[in-house]
């Protein structure tokens, strides 16, 4: 009798919380399918001095129905010092509404009713508060975004109080609230909570004749949060025995397929999984993985058969595009690559917006279509179907989209255009590519050669034509490089090279000198040598430019340097800086370091490292040399 009275008094207290001087509503015992009017008086709240107020609310019900709980704004109308508003209580699934108030222009300024929000509980026709009216409030704290939005860290003591009173009033609701109650006690972390919670878990599971997979999963989550992984694993196994075809078994089987190293066994395991679980959520991703594995195993016939058996929903168009492009680029199974690209295009055509695409899908879809058409054109080109390839490339390239394409694509497009007598038609795209620095050297050479052969043209006219196209981008590069140039004294030095010759700055006075500091153990140094050979070759007939490859920081016998140069076909002059005196004098902090000295004997350029792009390295060094020759 005493317990019942206390519970009744608690519920009356909950109702009274919503009838304070700050907040009251009408009708006093609202029912489902009613509009509730409320009055909010902020005079004694944190919003007492604010004038632009709004309410934010969620409706709540049983834990499983909290999908209805998206935070929503409610308009407040000012009446004197108070604000009034209305909320609707739907016919079903709602046990109440939780509100808080905030400054609409400064949303971090809030009134959260001391962390308990404002409550409008639903009553039945007899005036009794409906089930979940109390426990549902706890669900707002544990299962919705409202506390985070309001900047509130839920009070676990209050959450536990709400849940315990809900279960005292409605003990039949324990299956819906037991997990939330124990999870709150774990977060509460009162002394001795661990053994108590574990005992409560076992007691609850023992009370269930046949615990459901969800209950077993919830119990495992509770044990995991307490670090008892032995119990977690035991419950996982128990769950698999209860649900032998369930999600957990499917997940384990899917993982086993992913990690199976034997290709034959992997195919067998996949086939068995697909037969047993034809609607498994893991199946599309497994199928995409298998598609990639067929390619990696170089089983092209198997790949084609496998892809041909799949529904569109199990096909990743971008993966097929990657596979097909590699095959075409390597000129391997190119007809099959063409077929894969066609399938990818068909899949993309009817594809709905993927979950991993956050932006505008029509725009992204168009971008993917162009990627696929580029691959399709490549497959046709590699088979000598130049007319079809040229048409496909036109779907990829326009003068407006040149900047979005790889320079190699533009070069291939022009080659197909020339093979099909469409050079003049392709000219706007190619000229734009040259003008915005998206043209490869070979494309520019091809354009120059083609232009020179046109009626009335000469090699000189072609040279002038290309120079005119490149004028703006070259000017921009020179302006950009001008900002990078330095102006420091160039210390004099005299070193002996591998051939016993004396190499000195005094003997090279008035010349542009390119110094490349390197060592045989330096991987990036060696990787940059092909580019440096190209740069040196560009100026091999210019007596006013010298390249010196200064070996420094070698840290070993000098014979190692001789052996390296003997094994490689570089015609470099290699001065030996065994004591690192020159490297230190030129502020070399790491190798490779490139230093360029101008004709006036001043250091004008210094670059550390190698970016892996030989063409960019050659172009930048050549630009520096040309600028210094011009007196810049």
């Amino acid at each position: 009798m005493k317990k019942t009275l206390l519970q009744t008094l608690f519920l009356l207290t909950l109702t009274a919380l919503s009838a304070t001087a700050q907040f009251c509503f009408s009708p006093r015992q609202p029912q489902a399918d009613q509009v509730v009017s409320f009055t909010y008086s902020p005079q004694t709240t944190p919003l007492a001095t604010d004038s632009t107020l709004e309410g934010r609310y969620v409706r709540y019900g049983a834990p499983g129905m909290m999908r209805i709980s998206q935070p929503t704004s409610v308009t407040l109308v000012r009446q004197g010092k108070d604000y009034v508003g209305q909320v609707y209580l739907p016919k079903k699934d709602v046990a109440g509404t939780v509100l808080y108030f905030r400054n609409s222009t400064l949303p971090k300024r809030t009134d959260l009713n001391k962390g308990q929000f404002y409550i409008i509980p639903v009553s039945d026709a007899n005036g009794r508060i409906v089930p979940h009216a109390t426990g549902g409030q706890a669900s707002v704290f544990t299962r919705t975004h409202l506390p985070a939005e309001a900047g509130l860290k839920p009070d676990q003591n209050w959450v536990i109080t709400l849940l315990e009173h809900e279960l005292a009033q409605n003990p039949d609701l324990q299956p819906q609230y037991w997990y939330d109650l124990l999870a709150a006690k774990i977060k509460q972390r009162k002394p001795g909570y661990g053994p108590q919670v574990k005992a409560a878990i076992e007691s609850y599971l023992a009370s269930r004749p046949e615990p459901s997979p969800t209950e077993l999963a919830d119990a495992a989550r509770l044990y995991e949060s307490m670090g008892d992984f032995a119990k977690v694993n035991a419950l996982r196994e128990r769950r698999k025995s209860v649900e032998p075809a369930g999600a957990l078994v499917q997940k384990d089987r899917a993982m086993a397929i992913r990690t199976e190293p034997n290709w034959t066994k992997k195919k067998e395991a996949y086939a068995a999984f697909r037969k047993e679980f034809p609607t498994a959520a893991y199946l599309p991703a497994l199928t995409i993985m298998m598609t990639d594995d067929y390619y990696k195993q170089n089983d092209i016939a198997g790949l084609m058969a496998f892809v041909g058996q799949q529904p569109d929903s199990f096909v990743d168009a971008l993966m097929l595009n990657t596979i097909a492009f590699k095959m075409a680029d390597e000129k391997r199974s190119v007809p099959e690559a063409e077929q894969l690209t066609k399938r990818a295009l068909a899949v993309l055509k009817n594809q709905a917006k993927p979950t991993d695409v956050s932006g505008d899908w029509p725009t992204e879809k168009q971008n993917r279509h162009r990627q696929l058409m580029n691959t399709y054109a490549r497959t046709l080109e590699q088979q000598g179907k130049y007319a079809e390839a040229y048409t496909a490339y036109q779907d990829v390239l326009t003068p407006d989209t040149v900047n979005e394409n790889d320079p190699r694509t533009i070069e291939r497009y022009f080659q197909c255009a020339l093979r099909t007598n469409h050079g003049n038609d392709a000219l706007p795209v190619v000229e734009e590519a040259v003008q915005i620095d998206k043209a490869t050297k070979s494309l520019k050479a091809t354009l120059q050669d083609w232009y020179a052969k046109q009626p009335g043209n000469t090699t000189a006219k072609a040279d002038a034509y290309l120079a005119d196209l490149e004028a703006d981008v070259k000017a921009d590069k020179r302006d950009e490089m001008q900002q990078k140039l330095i102006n420091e004294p160039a210390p004099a030095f005299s070193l002996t090279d591998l051939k016993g010759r004396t190499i000195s700055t005094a003997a090279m006075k008035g010349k542009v000198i390119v110094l490349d500091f390197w060592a045989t153990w330096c991987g990036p140094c060696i990787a940059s040598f092909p580019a440096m050979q190209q740069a040196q070759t560009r100026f091999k007939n210019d007596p006013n430019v010298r390249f010196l490859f200064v070996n420094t920081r070698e840290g070993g016998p000098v014979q190692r340097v001789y052996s390296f140069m003997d094994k490689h076909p570089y015609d470099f002059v290699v001065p030996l800086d065994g004591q690192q005196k020159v490297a230190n004098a030129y502020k070399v902090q790491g190798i490779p370091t490139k230093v360029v000295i101008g004709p006036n004997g001043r250091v004008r350029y210094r670059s550390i490292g190698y970016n892996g792009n030989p063409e960019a390295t050659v172009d930048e060094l050549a630009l520096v040399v040309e600028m210094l020759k011009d007196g810049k």
Side-chain angles (χ1 to χ4, degrees):
M1 180 69 180
K2 184 177 180 181
K3 184 177 181 181
T4 303
L5 178 61
L6 289 173
Q7 293 166 351
T8 302
L9 288 172
F10 175 78
L11 293 175
L12 290 173
T13 301
L14 288 179
T15 305
L17 285 172
S18 298
T20 63
Q22 297 101 259
F23 184 77
C24 59
F25 52 84
S26 178
R28 290 293 304 124
Q29 296 176 328
Q31 299 177 27
D33 196 25
Q34 283 188 344
V35 174
V36 180
S37 300
F38 64 84
T39 300
Y40 173 60
S41 303
Q43 289 80 19
T44 59
T45 76
L47 299 177
T49 60
D50 296 70
S51 58
T52 55
L53 301 185
E54 68 173 350
R56 292 285 286 171
Y57 73 93
V58 296
R59 301 184 183 99
Y60 66 84
M65 303 303 296
M66 294 309 288
R67 64 178 183 276
I68 63 177
S69 59
Q70 293 300 317
T72 307
S73 291
V74 59
T75 302
L76 302 181
V77 178
R78 188 163 188 169
Q79 291 185 354
K81 294 182 178 180
D82 299 333
Y83 292 83
V84 298
Q86 292 183 333
V87 293
Y88 170 66
L89 299 175
K91 289 184 179 181
K92 60 179 184 176
D93 298 336
V94 174
T97 298
V98 166
L99 301 97
Y100 78 95
F101 300 96
R102 70 184 185 185
N103 186 316
S104 59
T105 57
L106 299 170
K108 290 186 178 181
R109 289 180 57 79
T110 60
D111 174 13
L112 308 178
N113 193 24
K114 299 180 180 179
Q116 296 178 3
F117 295 128
Y118 293 96
I119 315 299
I120 301 176
V122 174
S123 299
D124 61 18
N126 297 317
R128 292 190 297 264
I129 291 177
V130 300
H132 302 295
T134 308
Q137 295 175 45
S139 295
V140 171
F141 289 110
T142 60
R143 294 175 179 259
T144 78
H145 179 64
L146 193 71
E149 177 192 273
L152 173 66
K153 183 179 180 180
D155 179 356
Q156 298 303 321
N157 295 320
W158 181 238
V159 170
I160 291 170
T161 299
L162 292 169
L163 291 170
E164 286 180 338
H165 279 276
E166 179 69 55
L167 292 175
Q169 285 296 108
N170 302 290
D172 58 311
L173 297 183
Q174 187 183 24
Q176 298 187 53
Y177 286 109
W178 76 279
Y179 171 82
D180 286 353
L181 177 58
L182 296 182
K185 289 186 175 183
I186 292 171
K187 292 178 182 177
Q188 186 188 39
R189 295 189 176 277
K190 278 191 173 181
Y193 78 92
Q196 294 174 13
V197 170
K198 291 180 181 182
I201 296 171
E202 296 305 321
S203 176
Y204 176 77
L205 293 179
S207 72
R208 308 292 289 169
E210 293 183 4
S212 70
T214 299
E215 289 172 323
L216 294 173
D218 285 343
R221 287 166 59 198
L222 292 171
Y223 276 116
E224 184 175 11
S225 67
M226 292 185 288
D228 191 339
F229 296 105
K231 285 286 189 180
V232 172
N233 293 331
L235 284 166
R236 286 183 86 256
E237 294 305 313
R238 185 176 174 185
R239 182 180 165 194
K240 287 193 285 187
S241 66
V242 169
E243 197 177 26
L248 195 57
V249 171
Q250 293 178 23
K251 180 180 179 181
D252 287 352
R253 289 274 297 277
M255 182 57 67
I257 294 170
R258 288 184 175 277
T259 56
E260 173 56 60
N262 184 284
W263 176 231
T264 300
K265 290 181 179 179
K266 192 170 196 171
K267 288 188 290 183
E268 292 172 351
Y270 169 82
F273 184 94
R274 186 159 190 165
K275 183 177 180 180
E276 292 179 50
F277 311 115
T279 60
Y282 301 100
L283 193 54
L286 277 179
T287 303
I288 291 169
M289 177 205 69
M290 292 295 292
T291 301
D292 189 43
D293 283 349
Y294 270 101
Y295 171 70
K296 290 176 179 176
Q297 293 291 326
N298 199 27
D299 184 357
I300 304 303
L303 169 66
M304 301 306 295
F306 184 79
V307 171
Q309 296 166 1
Q310 306 308 323
D312 285 358
S313 59
F314 285 17
V315 175
D316 184 329
L318 292 183
M319 174 182 282
L320 288 191
N321 178 65
T322 300
I323 291 172
F325 191 87
K326 287 180 180 178
M327 290 166 62
D329 217 35
E330 296 167 3
K331 220 165 186 176
R332 177 166 58 95
S333 304
V334 182
E336 288 80 1
E338 179 185 347
Q339 294 305 310
L340 289 176
T341 311
K342 287 181 177 179
R343 178 65 192 281
L345 284 164
V347 168
L348 180 66
K349 183 178 180 181
N350 300 313
Q351 186 177 4
K353 183 178 180 177
T355 56
D356 60 346
V357 175
S358 57
D360 179 60
W361 174 233
T363 300
E364 174 61 21
K365 193 172 184 178
Q366 186 177 26
N367 291 337
R368 295 185 182 193
H369 176 79
R370 282 174 37 210
Q371 290 180 48
L372 287 167
M373 287 302 296
N374 178 43
T375 298
Y376 181 54
R378 183 65 168 153
T379 66
L380 295 170
E381 175 193 355
Q382 291 287 64
Q383 296 177 79
K385 302 177 182 178
Y386 299 115
E388 295 175 67
Y390 173 69
T391 301
Y393 274 129
Q394 286 181 303
D395 207 12
V396 179
L397 278 163
T398 68
D400 294 332
T401 61
V402 170
N403 196 45
E404 301 170 21
N405 282 274
D406 188 288
R408 292 168 297 182
T409 298
I410 304 168
E411 180 179 354
R412 292 165 186 153
Y413 163 71
F414 191 49
Q415 292 287 359
C416 289
L418 296 183
R419 289 175 179 272
T420 54
N421 298 316
H422 288 96
N424 282 310
D425 297 328
L427 207 55
V429 166
V430 180
E431 289 180 335
E432 176 69 13
V434 175
Q435 289 172 329
I436 64 172
D437 200 28
K438 291 286 284 189
T440 63
K441 288 189 181 301
S442 55
L443 173 58
K444 287 187 275 190
T446 300
L447 173 63
Q448 193 172 16
D449 181 64
W450 172 82
Y451 190 87
K453 294 177 181 177
Q454 300 310 297
N457 286 348
T458 63
T459 299
K461 286 184 178 180
D463 292 344
Y465 164 71
L466 186 62
D468 184 58
L469 290 176
E470 293 183 296
D472 287 344
V473 70
K474 282 189 173 182
D476 289 342
K477 285 184 176 181
R478 290 173 75 90
D479 289 343
E480 184 178 340
M481 181 53 68
Q482 190 68 49
Q483 303 302 315
K484 294 182 180 180
L485 293 180
I486 58 179
N487 192 0
E488 301 174 358
F493 65 82
S494 178
L495 296 172
T496 302
D497 73 355
L498 292 180
K499 296 183 178 180
R501 298 171 298 190
T502 298
I503 308 296
S504 68
T505 50
M508 297 179 286
K509 187 176 182 179
K511 301 180 186 296
V512 175
I513 306 169
V514 179
L515 305 177
D516 187 357
F517 292 91
W518 70 287
T520 60
W521 51 262
C522 170
C525 301
I526 308 308
S528 72
F529 275 3
M532 294 303 295
Q533 179 70 71
Q534 292 180 47
Q536 177 176 274
T537 300
R538 184 176 293 193
F539 295 98
K540 67 178 181 179
N541 296 322
D542 190 332
N544 292 314
V545 180
R546 292 290 305 274
F547 280 73
L548 301 177
F549 293 80
V550 183
N551 179 266
T552 190
R553 301 186 181 180
E554 185 62 38
V558 72
Q559 184 58 42
R560 191 162 60 187
V561 185
Y562 284 96
S563 298
F564 177 88
M565 295 307 299
D566 286 342
K567 293 177 182 177
H568 296 85
Y570 300 124
D571 56 344
F572 295 164
V573 175
V574 182
L576 298 172
D577 182 29
Q579 302 300 315
Q580 303 178 30
K581 292 182 179 179
V582 176
N584 292 337
Y586 278 85
K587 303 178 183 179
V588 173
Q589 298 179 349
I591 54 175
T593 289
K594 275 75 172 168
V595 173
V596 182
I597 304 170
N600 61 353
R602 306 280 293 181
V603 173
R604 303 304 313 280
Y605 173 88
R606 183 184 290 108
S607 172
I608 302 175
Y610 177 56
N611 62 12
N613 187 331
E615 187 169 303
T617 298
V618 173
D619 287 346
E620 182 160 313
L621 273 177
L623 177 60
V624 172
V625 171
E626 293 291 353
M627 289 178 66
L628 296 182
K629 285 176 58 182
D630 292 342
K632 299 298 184 182

